[in-house]
Amino acid sequence: MVRDSRLTGWLKQQRRQLVDRLAAGRQPGSASGGDVDRVRQQYLVSEQRFRALLESLPKVAVQGYDRDRRVIYWNEASTRLYGYTQEEALGCLLEDLIIPGPMRAGVIQAHRDWVEHGKEIPAEEIELRHSSGEPVPVFSHHVMLKEHTDDPLMFCVDVDLSDQKRAHRELDFATRFDRLTQLLNRHGFEEQLDLALAECRVHATSLVLVYLDIDHFVEINDALGYEQGDRLLVELAQRLNGSRRASDILSRLSGDEFVIAFPGVQGLQDMAHLVRKVASVMQAPFLLDGRRSKLSACLGIATFPGNGETASELIRNADVAKNRAKLAGQGEVVYFNQPLHDELLHQHRLSDRLERAVEAGELLLHYQPQVSAISGHIENLEALLRWMPPEGPPVSPAEFIPLAERSGLIHRIGDWVLESACRQRSLWRDAGLELQRIDINMSGRQIKRSGVFEDFEACVARHGLGPRDIGIELTENVLIEADDAILGGLRRLHARGFRIAIDDFGTGYSSLSYLKHFPVTALKVDRTFVRDAPNQPEDRAIMEATVFIGHRLGLEVVAEGVENREQLELVREMRCDLVQGFYFFRPMAAEEIERLLAGMVPGSGSLSS
Ligand code: C2E
Ligand code: MG
Ligand code: MG
């Protein structure tokens, strides 16, 4: 209080001087005694306002210091900001109170320069010290009063920046870190990875990037709920964090995707070790919903300098490798390489174009006849999908069907195929063309859609057709992987008289003993057997056995891919029922089929002689 009264004293002195100046300047007629009183009054009011203002600003700490930098004024906000009460602060030296050690000499010098040479201390953002020793970020203004007297006073007006700094830190955290796992997010990781890459360049070392993606995480999330999913992510983050060296950079890029950068790698030996180390974090079971569950993850690996120059390039390429690993199965590890990337890029573009192709009507069906091995008469047609992009060459279904399977587009395509085949079949029937049946191909994902067989039957019925008009071809693997619901659906179709063929027989599990369990009516022996049987006794033996058992089970046997006379002779000898292949007919557009069925065009193959 003693010191505080110095400020009050100083303010009083200022007021006296002002009043004296006014009184001294008062000339006859220039100002009256009333004027002086009014000015005095105004001054008093303004002084009170000034003090009230200083005291009332909660966030503006004001301190006054004398020539020796001893505290002469200390407001409430200063107490709040720096932790010293007014009593504690008054009389103390500025540098002993709130100036951190390393700044002491500079502060003393700056104060001296101002007092002695009039060199102002600019306003600035600085970090001062709380009584507890904690840093206090402030924006500090400095005002010198009575500058050129023996008693100069420095006032510091400090605005507390803690909230701003905290908000800034929080914002920085949110933009660079993942809230759930507290690991770097993509943005923060890219920043640090670029720095690490610069280091690698300087020291001519390599860097390995491992991209990790938990297998079936979506299913875990769906089945057990987000809380369990989150817990799993945190647990994995801790495991990865625990196994890394200080210089390794770890991040959760998104969802269940983590990435770890290992800078300073020397050789291939090192790399294999690192990959094993990352893979090993999945070894111990995870506690999910109170139960210990074994999980796996796919890894994609990219290296610097081989697989990319920048952080984003390396991350992208490790991601490409990881996606490839996912396609290969659970717990797979794939190293990035350029041809692989080009292939994926091609597939990605194709997949994109296919989506538009379906809408733009660029798909059409061709039909390949199956002829009787004995009479050469056309018995059925197989509908084969064609994609004719206007801007390029036709794309083979062998290439685009797997893509459509992956993207789920197969359902729309499959619906379109069924609809088109049914429409064509009823048109030909109305035109009086003699024809048994059109078979359509169905892929694995297609038949997993619930209600697929009901939809199939409904479509057939909508076109006024029945079981003798439209059949189905499924590959052996699709049948073996089919669950009870699918087999039940197929059994219903079979019981109603629909024809169901096993396609490409001999390329999958090829287990003849399975045959009796499947509700099928025909076997299509894969064309690789037809191709190789004339010269390979083993293929010939397998094919003969297949035809024999097929017949014993009451199935029709179709030989696929018959291209020449020799093959035809062989399949006839083996007593195949139907023959399909270029030797007779290639897949053809509907108009060509019409001309063929109307007897205007002969088949290229012949059974005579
Ligand atoms: P797939 O069902 O086994 O069809 C027979 C394939 O063999 C067709 O190829 C056909 O053009 C070809 N082929 C027929 N005769 C011969 C021959 O004598 N020699 C040779 N080298 N090849 C012959 P394509 O049309 O390229 O179809 C390939 C595969 O694409 C089909 O094999 C089928 O699995 C799939 N596919 C075609 N259309 C559809 C469809 O509408 N839906 C589904 N899910 N898959 C389809
Ligand atoms: Mg087929
Ligand atoms: Mg086939």
Side-chain angles (χ1 to χ4, degrees):
M1 275 322 204
V2 180
R3 293 282 165 178
D4 190 29
S5 66
R6 283 196 62 174
L7 175 72
T8 320
W10 172 77
L11 287 168
K12 280 186 183 141
Q13 190 191 349
Q14 295 292 309
R15 188 180 62 200
R16 241 189 339 267
Q17 281 173 4
L18 181 74
V19 173
D20 289 350
R21 269 206 302 278
L22 280 168
R26 189 167 45 160
Q27 302 298 325
S30 63
S32 66
D35 287 341
V36 174
D37 287 344
R38 203 175 55 251
V39 170
R40 187 176 288 147
Q41 193 54 36
Q42 278 173 354
Y43 185 82
L44 264 177
V45 170
S46 100
E47 183 202 325
Q48 277 162 2
R49 276 202 201 123
F50 176 66
R51 285 187 66 90
L53 183 72
L54 290 190
E55 294 300 335
S56 68
L57 290 173
K59 294 267 180 197
V60 182
V62 183
Q63 312 99 47
Y65 301 94
D66 68 6
R67 186 187 176 91
D68 304 322
R69 296 178 307 284
R70 286 187 190 283
V71 177
I72 55 154
Y73 178 73
W74 190 263
N75 74 349
E76 265 301 305
S78 296
T79 297
R80 268 195 300 275
L81 189 59
Y82 296 114
Y84 297 103
T85 62
Q86 201 177 48
E87 284 78 11
E88 287 168 333
L90 289 172
C92 292
L93 282 172
L94 162 66
E95 57 268 28
D96 290 345
L97 268 187
I98 58 173
I99 303 300
M103 282 171 63
R104 274 175 79 105
V107 167
I108 294 170
Q109 189 58 47
H111 180 260
R112 202 165 282 155
D113 284 350
W114 198 348
V115 170
E116 290 171 9
H117 310 294
K119 190 171 163 212
E120 278 185 34
I121 302 174
E124 62 186 336
E125 202 180 305
I126 44 174
E127 216 162 62
L128 298 180
R129 196 183 56 191
H130 189 266
S131 63
S132 67
E134 286 293 305
V136 182
V138 290
F139 191 80
S140 192
H141 282 273
H142 316 89
V143 185
M144 194 64 85
L145 297 175
K146 303 207 309 178
E147 221 173 322
H148 304 293
T149 68
D150 291 343
D151 195 17
L153 299 173
M154 178 174 76
F155 280 83
C156 297
V157 182
D158 299 340
V159 179
D160 183 6
L161 295 181
S162 316
D163 287 350
Q164 258 163 286
K165 290 277 169 189
R166 195 174 312 114
H168 197 268
R169 270 200 306 277
E170 277 169 14
L171 187 69
D172 185 52
F173 187 87
T175 50
R176 298 178 58 243
F177 287 87
D178 164 44
R179 217 162 250 290
L180 178 68
T181 60
Q182 314 276 306
L183 299 180
L184 288 166
N185 63 14
R186 180 183 292 272
H187 176 66
F189 180 71
E190 279 191 15
E191 254 175 26
Q192 296 222 2
L193 182 55
D194 271 326
L195 292 177
L197 289 174
E199 282 278 299
C200 287
R201 270 185 208 103
V202 171
H203 299 109
T205 52
S206 307
L207 180 145
V208 173
L209 201 77
V210 182
Y211 205 116
L212 179 150
D213 185 313
I214 306 171
D215 294 325
H216 302 300
F217 181 73
V218 177
E219 284 94 320
I220 295 169
N221 238 353
D222 288 350
L224 303 178
Y226 290 127
E227 201 189 313
Q228 293 293 324
D230 281 358
R231 207 171 288 172
L232 165 62
L233 294 174
V234 170
E235 163 77 22
L236 181 58
Q238 282 165 353
R239 289 186 189 186
L240 288 168
N241 209 15
S243 77
R244 80 184 171 108
R245 298 170 306 177
S247 57
D248 302 339
I249 315 164
L250 171 61
S251 153
R252 177 184 173 221
L253 283 197
S254 64
D256 63 335
E257 301 188 327
F258 293 81
V259 60
I260 311 123
F262 300 96
V265 174
Q266 298 295 343
L268 286 176
Q269 203 69 28
D270 269 13
M271 177 151 87
H273 166 71
L274 291 173
V275 172
R276 270 198 306 278
K277 196 165 93 172
V278 175
S280 72
V281 299
M282 302 302 293
Q283 250 158 28
F286 287 81
L287 201 62
L288 284 178
D289 217 15
R291 278 195 296 159
R292 290 154 65 80
S293 311
K294 187 89 183 67
L295 299 181
S296 61
C298 282
L299 304 184
I301 291 123
T303 55
F304 169 84
N307 303 152
E309 285 293 313
T310 63
S312 57
E313 221 176 317
L314 279 171
I315 295 171
R316 196 191 59 219
N317 289 344
D319 189 16
V320 165
K322 182 269 295 173
N323 288 333
R324 199 17 92 97
K326 285 258 144 186
L327 291 178
Q330 295 180 27
E332 292 287 336
V333 179
V334 170
Y335 290 76
F336 175 82
N337 67 50
Q338 199 56 45
L340 175 112
H341 177 59
D342 295 345
E343 165 62 16
L344 282 179
L345 200 65
H346 170 71
Q347 289 192 4
H348 176 73
R349 295 207 176 117
L350 207 61
S351 194
D352 249 21
R353 274 171 59 205
L354 180 60
E355 181 129 25
R356 280 177 275 130
V358 178
E359 279 149 25
E362 291 168 20
L363 297 183
L364 73 156
L365 287 182
H366 275 189
Y367 301 89
Q368 187 177 30
Q370 293 175 3
V371 303
S372 155
I374 299 165
S375 67
H377 183 256
I378 295 176
E379 299 286 335
N380 319 305
L381 301 174
E382 178 179 6
L384 291 162
L385 195 51
R386 295 292 174 261
W387 175 15
M388 312 279 198
E391 74 276 11
V395 187
S396 157
E399 190 174 359
F400 72 80
I401 294 285
L403 291 184
E405 278 254 296
R406 240 172 267 151
S407 70
L409 199 59
I410 191 71
H411 297 302
R412 271 172 62 199
I413 293 179
D415 291 345
W416 179 88
V417 168
L418 175 63
E419 185 73 33
S420 309
C422 287
R423 192 183 315 118
Q424 192 61 71
R425 181 68 188 83
S426 68
L427 279 174
W428 281 335
R429 184 197 50 197
D430 297 347
L433 291 176
E434 196 192 322
L435 176 67
Q436 288 280 341
R437 195 179 71 230
I438 295 177
D439 290 340
I440 60 163
N441 290 281
M442 280 185 149
S443 61
R445 186 156 175 189
Q446 248 180 297
I447 62 163
K448 287 199 185 104
R449 186 171 71 179
S450 74
V452 61
F453 300 119
E454 287 83 350
D455 294 346
F456 172 85
E457 267 199 279
C459 183
V460 172
R462 205 166 48 244
H463 287 273
L465 303 171
R468 300 254 147 227
D469 300 308
I470 299 285
I472 297 176
E473 292 190 7
L474 299 166
T475 63
E476 200 181 350
N477 291 356
V478 168
L479 280 168
I480 288 186
E481 282 159 20
D483 59 19
D484 288 345
I486 295 173
L487 288 178
L490 283 171
R491 274 193 200 102
R492 269 197 309 281
L493 289 185
H494 184 256
R496 291 202 226 285
F498 280 98
R499 310 295 285 177
I500 302 168
I502 304 186
D503 205 354
D504 305 344
F505 190 82
T507 57
Y509 293 86
S510 310
S511 171
L512 291 169
S513 60
Y514 271 119
L515 281 177
K516 62 174 186 285
H517 300 298
F518 295 140
V520 293
T521 55
L523 265 189
K524 295 185 77 179
V525 182
D526 190 66
R527 69 167 182 270
T528 51
F529 287 95
V530 175
R531 185 191 61 206
D532 299 335
N535 307 312
Q536 306 273 343
E538 294 87 1
D539 287 298
R540 188 187 175 119
I542 294 171
M543 200 172 152
E544 271 170 352
T546 306
V547 178
F548 177 77
I549 293 191
H551 281 159
R552 290 298 298 261
L553 292 170
L555 305 177
E556 197 171 38
V557 180
V558 186
E560 285 193 281
V562 173
E563 294 183 347
N564 55 45
R565 182 94 211 164
E566 193 189 5
Q567 291 167 350
L568 175 67
E569 296 293 341
L570 190 74
V571 302
R572 285 184 78 192
E573 220 173 90
M574 290 182 186
R575 307 207 175 286
C576 286
D577 305 290
L578 296 172
V579 180
Q580 183 179 351
F582 296 170
Y583 184 64
F584 290 98
F585 303 103
R586 288 182 174 262
M588 292 177 281
E591 308 81 64
E592 276 184 86
I593 292 286
E594 277 162 30
R595 286 202 293 276
L596 184 69
L597 294 178
M600 285 142 70
V601 185
S604 48
S606 139
L607 291 178
S608 56
S609 79

